[in-house]
Amino acid sequence: MAIIIDEAKKTFHLQTNHASYLFQVLPTGDLQQLYYGARLNEPINLTNLTQVAIQDATPAQEVAGQELQWDVINQEYSSFGHGDFRQSAYQVTSPAGDRISEFQYQKYQLSDGKQRLAHLPSTFDDNQDQSQTLTIFLHDQLAQLDLQLNYTIFPEQDVIVRSAYFENLSTQTVQLPRALSLQLDLPDSDYDFLQFAGSWARERHLRRNHLHDGVQSISSLRTASSHQHNPFFILARPTTTNSAGEAMAFNFVYSGNFLDSVEVDQYQQARILVGINPDEFCWQLKPHTSFQTPEAILSYTTAGLNQLSQQLSDFYQKHLVAPRFAQQERPILINNWEATYFDFDETKLLNLADQAKDLGIELFVLDDGWFGKRDDDTTSLGDWVSDQRKLPQGVAHLAQEIHQKGLKFGLWFEPEMISLESQLYQQHPDWLLHVPGRKLTPGRHQYVLDLARPEVVDYLAQALSTIISQTQLDYVKWDMNRYITEMYSAAFAPEQQQELAHRYILGVYQLYERLTTKFPKVLFESCASGGGRFDLGMMYYAPQAWTSDDTDAMERLLIQYGTSFGYSLSMMGAHVSASPNEQLGRKTSLKTRGAVAYFGDLGYELDITQLTPDQLAQIKQQIQFYKHYRKIFQFGDFYRLQSPLAGNHNELSWGVVNAEQTVAIAAHYQLLNQPQCLNSRLKLQGLDPKKRYQINDQPATYSGSQLMNAGYILPKLTKQEADFQAQLLVIKAI
Ligand code: DGJ
């Protein structure tokens, strides 16, 4: 474990197994960033790292005979207004209205381990033996403000976790219109920016572009991390591939408005910023109060993008996901949504459950429509009481019946929402986020509860707890189906209105915290019209998420491929649905649908009471197969083998390997059948080069080195197999 501190020179060297991060205190008391990259051995020649050529036409401060040009110097957590004209990490508005800060280094503190944050999801090291935390204390004398910069190293996964903490020691309120979690200044900008962009039903598609001069950013102002941009991104050298090269990843443990930006300056340096989006944010830092930013995660490798994803995944399982669930195999579920939508009764559900049990499914999830009088999406959100018309004996009775069949039982909720046509709205019209006298903007006919108010969180905690207890729930699907508009709350002072977007998310976390503490065994799956809140803030409470509302196998390939860069397979809910597909009408074989959904938390979401005996037999086989290899599918090392962006854009492949390198399962997918093609050659990764392997129980054997370097030539697909095909290879060491 190594955070190496030179007290005399005031330098800090954060060393992980393969990376080094260095900064120092300047004579002004400011912090200068020196290096982030492949691990350096001590002692380090600092003089050479700190050289800075003085520039013309650039403001400078002179301190101890040294000219300091803030626009040139790489920094740790920069302010605006002293001549650094790049975007800053924070801003404080003083009671007089100026935005000038002078935080100066006071001291540091080093401790083993990493504490969880209060009121925010966070990384942790509960045994305090896998990490080391460095806190840098800075103080602004004139403003009487403290600033702490927190750095925790997790050497094994080459991860550094960062956050900032502001405290107002003065007697006057100051404003924080900007308080980001991470700044990283790099000396060059020869990187590709890998982002994961999309839309509803088209989430997290990989985009790769070279950095260009100026600011490039991704962000959200939807009070959710969003379908459109995920708060995860990578900077990789242009030559970096899945299997080789330098790359660094940035992720954010937060579910609301975010900003990820990279600014390439006039010297081709790059400044990276990650944090709460300063638009729609301004915190009133009252006397003797503090503000803690969410955490940002940084990880580095020289071994390619697969390695980067694997070390992140390992990190999440050990230091972010609730330990109870981190390695717990996730149940195979049936979800009634695409099977019935709102149109079901108890008999229909019990028939589905009987069939599910027969197929080997383990968890029955009753989706939207079981409460209030909800026959479509126009009513009843907020009334978490079962609909007597559909479930005459109540949802608790249904739960009992399902449990008696030997299945687990799960329920859908959309806690944050309210319908105008609901009893809750009759009782508390003021609980809905709105601006008095202004028009409301509905989304899916629904409105948003003011979760910034403690009494709303209390009500929801009570309402959900009652149902969870009555039904002895095993699983909760927590949905959130619209972005937030008219963000205003009469419960807060005018100057606090720009705190609301953050306070809303804190309310969501508070509700999650209370429910997961009270019901620690219940598995939560988060959802936001599919993958609209697929982020680490959610994963802290709900270890898996509904990846996308698009269940078409071919669409899912791109979604799951993109998602895999920043998230673990066990975080991705992946269902086999009907063909023709409900969203796109595309027809795919059950084999292909299964082969895509295996790489995640498998579920079925179609009317299994309407299938042919042959289809049922196939599903039974899929479930047996998945159960046999479930641990590898959910927790094995994942390798992206062929990128959808490469080659002929017609193939994609990936695979999982167990820790012992004795079993691997690879899948090759082909979009369209094409004439005059050679057989595809699949180059595997992650095998032991020296071991010998058999494929799909065939007698031929191959060394790991052959399969990884020469590859395995796949059988040619026949005309009959046509488009949208998947081939699965089960590779076992002999
Ligand atoms: C959106 C979710 O993503 C779906 O899976 C389903 O739960 C519907 N909401 C129900 O309204």
Side-chain angles (χ1 to χ4, degrees), residues 169-198:
L169 308 177
S170 80
T171 52
Q172 286 182 293
T173 298
V174 298
Q175 292 172 356
L176 263 183
R178 187 178 181 90
L180 301 181
S181 300
L182 171 150
Q183 171 180 334
L184 176 62
D185 284 359
L186 296 171
D188 79 272
S189 53
D190 187 18
Y191 292 97
D192 286 349
F193 184 66
L194 279 70
Q195 67 186 91
F196 302 90

PDB file of all heavy atoms in Angstrom, residues 169-198:
ATOM      1  N   LEU A 169     -16.706  28.190   7.975  1.00  0.00           N
ATOM      2  CA  LEU A 169     -16.421  28.485   9.384  1.00  0.00           C
ATOM      3  C   LEU A 169     -16.805  29.919   9.730  1.00  0.00           C
ATOM      4  O   LEU A 169     -16.643  30.361  10.861  1.00  0.00           O
ATOM      5  CB  LEU A 169     -14.927  28.291   9.670  1.00  0.00           C
ATOM      6  CG  LEU A 169     -14.321  26.950   9.239  1.00  0.00           C
ATOM      7  CD1 LEU A 169     -12.827  26.919   9.511  1.00  0.00           C
ATOM      8  CD2 LEU A 169     -15.007  25.809   9.971  1.00  0.00           C
ATOM      9  N   SER A 170     -17.281  30.665   8.737  1.00  0.00           N
ATOM     10  CA  SER A 170     -17.567  32.085   8.966  1.00  0.00           C
ATOM     11  C   SER A 170     -18.986  32.256   9.513  1.00  0.00           C
ATOM     12  O   SER A 170     -19.713  31.286   9.715  1.00  0.00           O
ATOM     13  CB  SER A 170     -17.423  32.862   7.657  1.00  0.00           C
ATOM     14  OG  SER A 170     -18.593  32.681   6.880  1.00  0.00           O
ATOM     15  N   THR A 171     -19.359  33.483   9.710  1.00  0.00           N
ATOM     16  CA  THR A 171     -20.703  33.744  10.245  1.00  0.00           C
ATOM     17  C   THR A 171     -21.662  34.168   9.138  1.00  0.00           C
ATOM     18  O   THR A 171     -22.779  34.577   9.396  1.00  0.00           O
ATOM     19  CB  THR A 171     -20.640  34.855  11.305  1.00  0.00           C
ATOM     20  OG1 THR A 171     -19.949  35.967  10.718  1.00  0.00           O
ATOM     21  CG2 THR A 171     -19.926  34.389  12.557  1.00  0.00           C
ATOM     22  N   GLN A 172     -21.184  34.117   7.894  1.00  0.00           N
ATOM     23  CA  GLN A 172     -22.056  34.531   6.793  1.00  0.00           C
ATOM     24  C   GLN A 172     -22.223  33.408   5.773  1.00  0.00           C
ATOM     25  O   GLN A 172     -21.321  32.596   5.578  1.00  0.00           O
ATOM     26  CB  GLN A 172     -21.447  35.747   6.092  1.00  0.00           C
ATOM     27  CG  GLN A 172     -21.581  37.009   6.898  1.00  0.00           C
ATOM     28  CD  GLN A 172     -21.015  38.184   6.126  1.00  0.00           C
ATOM     29  OE1 GLN A 172     -19.799  38.237   5.893  1.00  0.00           O
ATOM     30  NE2 GLN A 172     -21.872  39.096   5.721  1.00  0.00           N
ATOM     31  N   THR A 173     -23.392  33.430   5.107  1.00  0.00           N
ATOM     32  CA  THR A 173     -23.633  32.420   4.080  1.00  0.00           C
ATOM     33  C   THR A 173     -22.825  32.754   2.827  1.00  0.00           C
ATOM     34  O   THR A 173     -22.788  33.907   2.395  1.00  0.00           O
ATOM     35  CB  THR A 173     -25.136  32.396   3.730  1.00  0.00           C
ATOM     36  OG1 THR A 173     -25.844  32.039   4.912  1.00  0.00           O
ATOM     37  CG2 THR A 173     -25.442  31.410   2.617  1.00  0.00           C
ATOM     38  N   VAL A 174     -22.167  31.756   2.265  1.00  0.00           N
ATOM     39  CA  VAL A 174     -21.552  31.918   0.940  1.00  0.00           C
ATOM     40  C   VAL A 174     -22.263  30.961  -0.009  1.00  0.00           C
ATOM     41  O   VAL A 174     -22.933  30.021   0.435  1.00  0.00           O
ATOM     42  CB  VAL A 174     -20.032  31.626   0.952  1.00  0.00           C
ATOM     43  CG1 VAL A 174     -19.296  32.582   1.855  1.00  0.00           C
ATOM     44  CG2 VAL A 174     -19.758  30.178   1.346  1.00  0.00           C
ATOM     45  N   GLN A 175     -22.109  31.217  -1.308  1.00  0.00           N
ATOM     46  CA  GLN A 175     -22.758  30.331  -2.275  1.00  0.00           C
ATOM     47  C   GLN A 175     -21.721  29.475  -2.985  1.00  0.00           C
ATOM     48  O   GLN A 175     -20.621  29.936  -3.284  1.00  0.00           O
ATOM     49  CB  GLN A 175     -23.509  31.157  -3.315  1.00  0.00           C
ATOM     50  CG  GLN A 175     -24.683  31.872  -2.712  1.00  0.00           C
ATOM     51  CD  GLN A 175     -25.308  32.842  -3.689  1.00  0.00           C
ATOM     52  OE1 GLN A 175     -24.816  33.033  -4.795  1.00  0.00           O
ATOM     53  NE2 GLN A 175     -26.387  33.451  -3.278  1.00  0.00           N
ATOM     54  N   LEU A 176     -22.137  28.273  -3.257  1.00  0.00           N
ATOM     55  CA  LEU A 176     -21.286  27.355  -4.028  1.00  0.00           C
ATOM     56  C   LEU A 176     -22.012  27.074  -5.340  1.00  0.00           C
ATOM     57  O   LEU A 176     -22.827  26.161  -5.420  1.00  0.00           O
ATOM     58  CB  LEU A 176     -21.165  26.026  -3.285  1.00  0.00           C
ATOM     59  CG  LEU A 176     -19.977  25.724  -2.407  1.00  0.00           C
ATOM     60  CD1 LEU A 176     -20.103  24.312  -1.854  1.00  0.00           C
ATOM     61  CD2 LEU A 176     -18.681  25.852  -3.200  1.00  0.00           C
ATOM     62  N   PRO A 177     -21.756  27.841  -6.377  1.00  0.00           N
ATOM     63  CA  PRO A 177     -22.439  27.572  -7.656  1.00  0.00           C
ATOM     64  C   PRO A 177     -21.762  26.457  -8.454  1.00  0.00           C
ATOM     65  O   PRO A 177     -22.269  26.074  -9.505  1.00  0.00           O
ATOM     66  CB  PRO A 177     -22.351  28.909  -8.391  1.00  0.00           C
ATOM     67  CG  PRO A 177     -21.191  29.608  -7.789  1.00  0.00           C
ATOM     68  CD  PRO A 177     -20.962  29.062  -6.413  1.00  0.00           C
ATOM     69  N   ARG A 178     -20.652  25.973  -7.974  1.00  0.00           N
ATOM     70  CA  ARG A 178     -19.885  24.958  -8.699  1.00  0.00           C
ATOM     71  C   ARG A 178     -19.025  24.221  -7.688  1.00  0.00           C
ATOM     72  O   ARG A 178     -18.255  24.842  -6.950  1.00  0.00           O
ATOM     73  CB  ARG A 178     -19.004  25.701  -9.710  1.00  0.00           C
ATOM     74  CG  ARG A 178     -18.242  24.869 -10.693  1.00  0.00           C
ATOM     75  CD  ARG A 178     -17.478  25.810 -11.629  1.00  0.00           C
ATOM     76  NE  ARG A 178     -16.745  25.048 -12.604  1.00  0.00           N
ATOM     77  CZ  ARG A 178     -17.218  24.676 -13.793  1.00  0.00           C
ATOM     78  NH1 ARG A 178     -18.429  25.045 -14.167  1.00  0.00           N
ATOM     79  NH2 ARG A 178     -16.499  23.950 -14.609  1.00  0.00           N
ATOM     80  N   ALA A 179     -19.181  22.914  -7.616  1.00  0.00           N
ATOM     81  CA  ALA A 179     -18.370  22.133  -6.665  1.00  0.00           C
ATOM     82  C   ALA A 179     -18.215  20.739  -7.262  1.00  0.00           C
ATOM     83  O   ALA A 179     -18.983  19.833  -6.970  1.00  0.00           O
ATOM     84  CB  ALA A 179     -19.051  22.068  -5.307  1.00  0.00           C
ATOM     85  N   LEU A 180     -17.216  20.604  -8.133  1.00  0.00           N
ATOM     86  CA  LEU A 180     -17.053  19.332  -8.832  1.00  0.00           C
ATOM     87  C   LEU A 180     -16.270  18.343  -7.954  1.00  0.00           C
ATOM     88  O   LEU A 180     -15.692  18.711  -6.934  1.00  0.00           O
ATOM     89  CB  LEU A 180     -16.359  19.564 -10.171  1.00  0.00           C
ATOM     90  CG  LEU A 180     -17.135  20.522 -11.099  1.00  0.00           C
ATOM     91  CD1 LEU A 180     -16.416  20.711 -12.424  1.00  0.00           C
ATOM     92  CD2 LEU A 180     -18.537  20.022 -11.360  1.00  0.00           C
ATOM     93  N   SER A 181     -16.288  17.109  -8.373  1.00  0.00           N
ATOM     94  CA  SER A 181     -15.700  16.055  -7.542  1.00  0.00           C
ATOM     95  C   SER A 181     -14.263  15.750  -7.919  1.00  0.00           C
ATOM     96  O   SER A 181     -13.467  15.338  -7.080  1.00  0.00           O
ATOM     97  CB  SER A 181     -16.521  14.768  -7.690  1.00  0.00           C
ATOM     98  OG  SER A 181     -17.841  15.010  -7.276  1.00  0.00           O
ATOM     99  N   LEU A 182     -13.947  15.921  -9.189  1.00  0.00           N
ATOM    100  CA  LEU A 182     -12.609  15.533  -9.652  1.00  0.00           C
ATOM    101  C   LEU A 182     -12.119  16.501 -10.712  1.00  0.00           C
ATOM    102  O   LEU A 182     -12.884  16.899 -11.599  1.00  0.00           O
ATOM    103  CB  LEU A 182     -12.680  14.124 -10.248  1.00  0.00           C
ATOM    104  CG  LEU A 182     -11.470  13.553 -10.992  1.00  0.00           C
ATOM    105  CD1 LEU A 182     -11.428  12.044 -10.834  1.00  0.00           C
ATOM    106  CD2 LEU A 182     -11.455  13.875 -12.483  1.00  0.00           C
ATOM    107  N   GLN A 183     -10.872  16.873 -10.594  1.00  0.00           N
ATOM    108  CA  GLN A 183     -10.180  17.562 -11.686  1.00  0.00           C
ATOM    109  C   GLN A 183      -8.911  16.786 -11.948  1.00  0.00           C
ATOM    110  O   GLN A 183      -8.232  16.359 -11.016  1.00  0.00           O
ATOM    111  CB  GLN A 183      -9.834  18.986 -11.284  1.00  0.00           C
ATOM    112  CG  GLN A 183      -8.930  19.677 -12.303  1.00  0.00           C
ATOM    113  CD  GLN A 183      -8.574  21.101 -11.903  1.00  0.00           C
ATOM    114  OE1 GLN A 183      -9.312  21.745 -11.174  1.00  0.00           O
ATOM    115  NE2 GLN A 183      -7.435  21.577 -12.379  1.00  0.00           N
ATOM    116  N   LEU A 184      -8.597  16.607 -13.212  1.00  0.00           N
ATOM    117  CA  LEU A 184      -7.313  15.983 -13.551  1.00  0.00           C
ATOM    118  C   LEU A 184      -6.737  16.725 -14.747  1.00  0.00           C
ATOM    119  O   LEU A 184      -7.341  16.754 -15.822  1.00  0.00           O
ATOM    120  CB  LEU A 184      -7.505  14.491 -13.893  1.00  0.00           C
ATOM    121  CG  LEU A 184      -6.238  13.773 -14.358  1.00  0.00           C
ATOM    122  CD1 LEU A 184      -5.174  13.762 -13.271  1.00  0.00           C
ATOM    123  CD2 LEU A 184      -6.561  12.332 -14.775  1.00  0.00           C
ATOM    124  N   ASP A 185      -5.586  17.353 -14.549  1.00  0.00           N
ATOM    125  CA  ASP A 185      -4.908  18.062 -15.636  1.00  0.00           C
ATOM    126  C   ASP A 185      -3.813  17.156 -16.198  1.00  0.00           C
ATOM    127  O   ASP A 185      -2.932  16.712 -15.454  1.00  0.00           O
ATOM    128  CB  ASP A 185      -4.271  19.354 -15.109  1.00  0.00           C
ATOM    129  CG  ASP A 185      -5.307  20.449 -14.870  1.00  0.00           C
ATOM    130  OD1 ASP A 185      -6.511  20.211 -15.136  1.00  0.00           O
ATOM    131  OD2 ASP A 185      -4.913  21.538 -14.406  1.00  0.00           O
ATOM    132  N   LEU A 186      -3.901  16.897 -17.497  1.00  0.00           N
ATOM    133  CA  LEU A 186      -2.908  16.034 -18.143  1.00  0.00           C
ATOM    134  C   LEU A 186      -2.034  16.868 -19.073  1.00  0.00           C
ATOM    135  O   LEU A 186      -2.523  17.820 -19.691  1.00  0.00           O
ATOM    136  CB  LEU A 186      -3.613  14.940 -18.958  1.00  0.00           C
ATOM    137  CG  LEU A 186      -4.454  13.942 -18.152  1.00  0.00           C
ATOM    138  CD1 LEU A 186      -5.281  13.062 -19.088  1.00  0.00           C
ATOM    139  CD2 LEU A 186      -3.563  13.084 -17.263  1.00  0.00           C
ATOM    140  N   PRO A 187      -0.755  16.507 -19.204  1.00  0.00           N
ATOM    141  CA  PRO A 187       0.154  17.350 -19.986  1.00  0.00           C
ATOM    142  C   PRO A 187      -0.035  17.268 -21.498  1.00  0.00           C
ATOM    143  O   PRO A 187       0.543  18.055 -22.238  1.00  0.00           O
ATOM    144  CB  PRO A 187       1.532  16.829 -19.590  1.00  0.00           C
ATOM    145  CG  PRO A 187       1.299  15.448 -19.095  1.00  0.00           C
ATOM    146  CD  PRO A 187      -0.076  15.405 -18.525  1.00  0.00           C
ATOM    147  N   ASP A 188      -0.805  16.304 -21.993  1.00  0.00           N
ATOM    148  CA  ASP A 188      -1.062  16.279 -23.438  1.00  0.00           C
ATOM    149  C   ASP A 188      -2.495  15.836 -23.674  1.00  0.00           C
ATOM    150  O   ASP A 188      -3.201  15.437 -22.738  1.00  0.00           O
ATOM    151  CB  ASP A 188      -0.067  15.366 -24.170  1.00  0.00           C
ATOM    152  CG  ASP A 188      -0.420  13.899 -24.046  1.00  0.00           C
ATOM    153  OD1 ASP A 188       0.009  13.254 -23.064  1.00  0.00           O
ATOM    154  OD2 ASP A 188      -1.147  13.403 -24.915  1.00  0.00           O
ATOM    155  N   SER A 189      -2.909  15.930 -24.914  1.00  0.00           N
ATOM    156  CA  SER A 189      -4.316  15.622 -25.201  1.00  0.00           C
ATOM    157  C   SER A 189      -4.442  14.649 -26.369  1.00  0.00           C
ATOM    158  O   SER A 189      -5.448  14.658 -27.079  1.00  0.00           O
ATOM    159  CB  SER A 189      -5.077  16.915 -25.509  1.00  0.00           C
ATOM    160  OG  SER A 189      -4.403  17.618 -26.529  1.00  0.00           O
ATOM    161  N   ASP A 190      -3.432  13.823 -26.552  1.00  0.00           N
ATOM    162  CA  ASP A 190      -3.498  12.864 -27.651  1.00  0.00           C
ATOM    163  C   ASP A 190      -4.303  11.629 -27.205  1.00  0.00           C
ATOM    164  O   ASP A 190      -3.773  10.526 -27.068  1.00  0.00           O
ATOM    165  CB  ASP A 190      -2.077  12.467 -28.080  1.00  0.00           C
ATOM    166  CG  ASP A 190      -2.114  11.610 -29.343  1.00  0.00           C
ATOM    167  OD1 ASP A 190      -3.150  11.623 -30.037  1.00  0.00           O
ATOM    168  OD2 ASP A 190      -1.112  10.920 -29.619  1.00  0.00           O
ATOM    169  N   TYR A 191      -5.571  11.864 -26.963  1.00  0.00           N
ATOM    170  CA  TYR A 191      -6.450  10.793 -26.488  1.00  0.00           C
ATOM    171  C   TYR A 191      -7.711  10.746 -27.336  1.00  0.00           C
ATOM    172  O   TYR A 191      -8.176  11.780 -27.833  1.00  0.00           O
ATOM    173  CB  TYR A 191      -6.900  11.066 -25.047  1.00  0.00           C
ATOM    174  CG  TYR A 191      -5.806  10.973 -24.022  1.00  0.00           C
ATOM    175  CD1 TYR A 191      -5.148  12.124 -23.582  1.00  0.00           C
ATOM    176  CD2 TYR A 191      -5.438   9.754 -23.474  1.00  0.00           C
ATOM    177  CE1 TYR A 191      -4.148  12.055 -22.621  1.00  0.00           C
ATOM    178  CE2 TYR A 191      -4.433   9.673 -22.507  1.00  0.00           C
ATOM    179  CZ  TYR A 191      -3.797  10.831 -22.091  1.00  0.00           C
ATOM    180  OH  TYR A 191      -2.808  10.752 -21.146  1.00  0.00           O
ATOM    181  N   ASP A 192      -8.274   9.548 -27.408  1.00  0.00           N
ATOM    182  CA  ASP A 192      -9.650   9.410 -27.903  1.00  0.00           C
ATOM    183  C   ASP A 192     -10.580   9.509 -26.704  1.00  0.00           C
ATOM    184  O   ASP A 192     -10.250   9.032 -25.605  1.00  0.00           O
ATOM    185  CB  ASP A 192      -9.859   8.039 -28.563  1.00  0.00           C
ATOM    186  CG  ASP A 192      -9.198   7.962 -29.934  1.00  0.00           C
ATOM    187  OD1 ASP A 192      -8.764   9.020 -30.446  1.00  0.00           O
ATOM    188  OD2 ASP A 192      -9.105   6.845 -30.480  1.00  0.00           O
ATOM    189  N   PHE A 193     -11.720  10.104 -26.947  1.00  0.00           N
ATOM    190  CA  PHE A 193     -12.751  10.238 -25.912  1.00  0.00           C
ATOM    191  C   PHE A 193     -13.803   9.175 -26.214  1.00  0.00           C
ATOM    192  O   PHE A 193     -14.447   9.213 -27.257  1.00  0.00           O
ATOM    193  CB  PHE A 193     -13.333  11.657 -26.024  1.00  0.00           C
ATOM    194  CG  PHE A 193     -14.351  12.028 -24.981  1.00  0.00           C
ATOM    195  CD1 PHE A 193     -13.990  12.129 -23.651  1.00  0.00           C
ATOM    196  CD2 PHE A 193     -15.657  12.326 -25.337  1.00  0.00           C
ATOM    197  CE1 PHE A 193     -14.928  12.502 -22.687  1.00  0.00           C
ATOM    198  CE2 PHE A 193     -16.594  12.697 -24.377  1.00  0.00           C
ATOM    199  CZ  PHE A 193     -16.223  12.791 -23.052  1.00  0.00           C
ATOM    200  N   LEU A 194     -13.942   8.206 -25.320  1.00  0.00           N
ATOM    201  CA  LEU A 194     -14.942   7.150 -25.523  1.00  0.00           C
ATOM    202  C   LEU A 194     -16.133   7.466 -24.639  1.00  0.00           C
ATOM    203  O   LEU A 194     -16.012   7.498 -23.405  1.00  0.00           O
ATOM    204  CB  LEU A 194     -14.384   5.775 -25.147  1.00  0.00           C
ATOM    205  CG  LEU A 194     -13.516   5.067 -26.189  1.00  0.00           C
ATOM    206  CD1 LEU A 194     -12.168   5.751 -26.358  1.00  0.00           C
ATOM    207  CD2 LEU A 194     -13.278   3.610 -25.791  1.00  0.00           C
ATOM    208  N   GLN A 195     -17.256   7.736 -25.254  1.00  0.00           N
ATOM    209  CA  GLN A 195     -18.459   8.059 -24.498  1.00  0.00           C
ATOM    210  C   GLN A 195     -19.556   7.069 -24.856  1.00  0.00           C
ATOM    211  O   GLN A 195     -19.441   6.341 -25.853  1.00  0.00           O
ATOM    212  CB  GLN A 195     -18.916   9.489 -24.798  1.00  0.00           C
ATOM    213  CG  GLN A 195     -19.393   9.679 -26.228  1.00  0.00           C
ATOM    214  CD  GLN A 195     -19.708  11.128 -26.524  1.00  0.00           C
ATOM    215  OE1 GLN A 195     -18.840  11.870 -26.973  1.00  0.00           O
ATOM    216  NE2 GLN A 195     -20.944  11.522 -26.293  1.00  0.00           N
ATOM    217  N   PHE A 196     -20.608   7.065 -24.062  1.00  0.00           N
ATOM    218  CA  PHE A 196     -21.650   6.052 -24.211  1.00  0.00           C
ATOM    219  C   PHE A 196     -22.976   6.786 -24.337  1.00  0.00           C
ATOM    220  O   PHE A 196     -23.602   7.159 -23.354  1.00  0.00           O
ATOM    221  CB  PHE A 196     -21.554   5.060 -23.037  1.00  0.00           C
ATOM    222  CG  PHE A 196     -20.189   4.440 -23.036  1.00  0.00           C
ATOM    223  CD1 PHE A 196     -19.132   5.016 -22.334  1.00  0.00           C
ATOM    224  CD2 PHE A 196     -19.918   3.354 -23.850  1.00  0.00           C
ATOM    225  CE1 PHE A 196     -17.840   4.500 -22.414  1.00  0.00           C
ATOM    226  CE2 PHE A 196     -18.638   2.825 -23.945  1.00  0.00           C
ATOM    227  CZ  PHE A 196     -17.602   3.394 -23.225  1.00  0.00           C
ATOM    228  N   ALA A 197     -23.349   7.026 -25.577  1.00  0.00           N
ATOM    229  CA  ALA A 197     -24.446   7.938 -25.875  1.00  0.00           C
ATOM    230  C   ALA A 197     -25.672   7.156 -26.313  1.00  0.00           C
ATOM    231  O   ALA A 197     -25.586   6.001 -26.706  1.00  0.00           O
ATOM    232  CB  ALA A 197     -24.020   8.881 -26.988  1.00  0.00           C
ATOM    233  N   GLY A 198     -26.826   7.795 -26.275  1.00  0.00           N
ATOM    234  CA  GLY A 198     -28.006   7.083 -26.733  1.00  0.00           C
ATOM    235  C   GLY A 198     -29.291   7.829 -26.528  1.00  0.00           C
ATOM    236  O   GLY A 198     -29.334   9.064 -26.551  1.00  0.00           O
TER     237      GLY A 198
END
